[in-house]
Amino acid sequence: MTTRLIAQFFDQRLQPTGLKNTQFTLLVVLRQHAPVSITRLAELLGMDRTTLTRNIRILKKDGLIEEQSADDARVRLLTLSEGGETLVTKATPYWRQAQTEFLKRFGDDRWHALKQELTDINYVVS
C-alpha cells in the first residue's frame, strides 16, 4: 500500500508531462545506459521482463523509445528517441520538485533511516 501511495504522489506531480513515475524512471535509466538490451534494462530496474516489455511497448508506440538490432539477431537494443530525450528533459524538473516535496514532508532523517532499512532488507532477502 505504501509503495502505491508513493507512486501515486509522484504520478500526480508528473501528470503535466503525461508520464507515470515508472515510465519516467524507465526512460531515465534507458538514457543512462543506452543502447541496452531488454534483459539488461530489466536487471537495472529490478523488474521482470514481462512487466518491462509491457511498458516498453507503450513507450515505443508513443515514439519515445527506439529499437535496433544487435550483433546477435535474438537481441534487440533500446535507445531513447529524440522525442524521448525531449520528454525526459521536460519531466525532470517535475520529478525533482516531487522529490523535494516528498523529502520536506517526510523529513531527511526519516528518509535516510528508511533507505538504510530497505538496504538491510535487500541484503537479508538476496
Side-chain angles (χ1 to χ4, degrees):
M1 185 168 97
T2 302
T3 302
R4 280 194 310 276
L5 288 172
I6 292 170
Q8 288 171 0
F9 176 87
F10 278 85
D11 285 348
Q12 289 170 352
R13 277 38 177 209
L14 286 168
Q15 194 171 20
T17 69
L19 289 174
K20 300 283 188 193
N21 181 50
T22 51
Q23 295 170 324
F24 175 74
T25 301
L26 189 159
L27 293 173
V28 168
V29 172
L30 180 56
R31 175 196 250 178
Q32 294 169 339
H33 296 278
V36 64
S37 70
I38 292 173
T39 300
R40 178 67 181 134
L41 188 57
E43 290 169 1
L44 291 166
L45 290 165
M47 295 175 80
D48 65 86
R49 278 183 51 104
T50 304
T51 302
L52 179 59
T53 300
R54 231 183 351 259
N55 282 291
I56 288 170
R57 191 176 305 122
I58 293 166
L59 295 170
K60 278 177 49 182
K61 183 178 74 71
D62 292 343
L64 303 174
I65 292 178
E66 295 175 346
E67 193 174 295
Q68 59 194 21
S69 299
D71 292 338
D72 182 340
R74 297 170 294 176
V75 176
R76 306 294 293 169
L77 297 176
L78 303 173
T79 58
L80 281 185
S81 68
E82 189 175 317
E85 282 284 348
T86 300
L87 190 53
V88 168
T89 299
K90 175 185 174 186
T92 297
Y94 290 96
W95 186 89
R96 285 190 177 133
Q97 180 59 40
Q99 184 73 5
T100 299
E101 183 182 346
F102 177 83
L103 290 175
K104 183 177 178 184
R105 288 181 180 191
F106 192 67
D108 282 338
D109 291 342
R110 290 172 64 199
W111 174 244
H112 292 296
L114 177 60
K115 283 189 347 185
Q116 185 58 55
E117 290 294 327
L118 293 172
T119 299
D120 293 347
I121 289 169
N122 284 335
Y123 178 75
V124 168
V125 297
S126 323

